[in-house]
Amino acid sequence: MSSPPPEGANVTVAYCDGHRCRALRHRSHLRVSEGEPENLTEVLRQAVRASHGGVLIRAECLGVCHRAPALLLLAGSRPAQRRGLLIGPVQEPQHIDAVVELIRRADSSEP
């Protein structure tokens, strides 16, 4: 059981670290930058770090192995108003770009 996100966090990203998601996350077809393949976790980390009070969480199995690798994006700073979006599979570069854009939009949706 994880603790609730801190007050004021507009976006929380929980990426599944279950067996199947972890294995497929490392096989994702990410772009290569400066000779090194991008790591999905690092891309998520950078997107959340660029947000205003965003939180990145490594979660236990989310129970959606058929959508691996998967993540859960929660938006909104008030617990009663938080909305979640289950995203997966996140494997292709366009998937990564779409997730980063969702993080940016979720972060800017509230003052």
Side-chain angles (χ1 to χ4, degrees), residues 22-67:
R22 186 179 325 117
L24 290 174
R25 191 170 56 244
H26 294 295
R27 295 183 65 203
S28 294
H29 305 289
L30 301 177
R31 292 183 179 96
V32 176
S33 62
E34 298 182 22
E36 295 289 323
E38 287 182 332
N39 177 304
L40 176 57
T41 306
E42 187 57 34
V43 171
L44 293 173
R45 185 175 291 118
Q46 290 172 9
V48 170
R49 192 173 282 156
S51 70
H52 298 92
V55 178
L56 179 65
I57 298 170
R58 183 182 72 206
E60 295 293 323
C61 181
L62 294 175
V64 290
C65 297
H66 63 287
R67 294 180 67 179

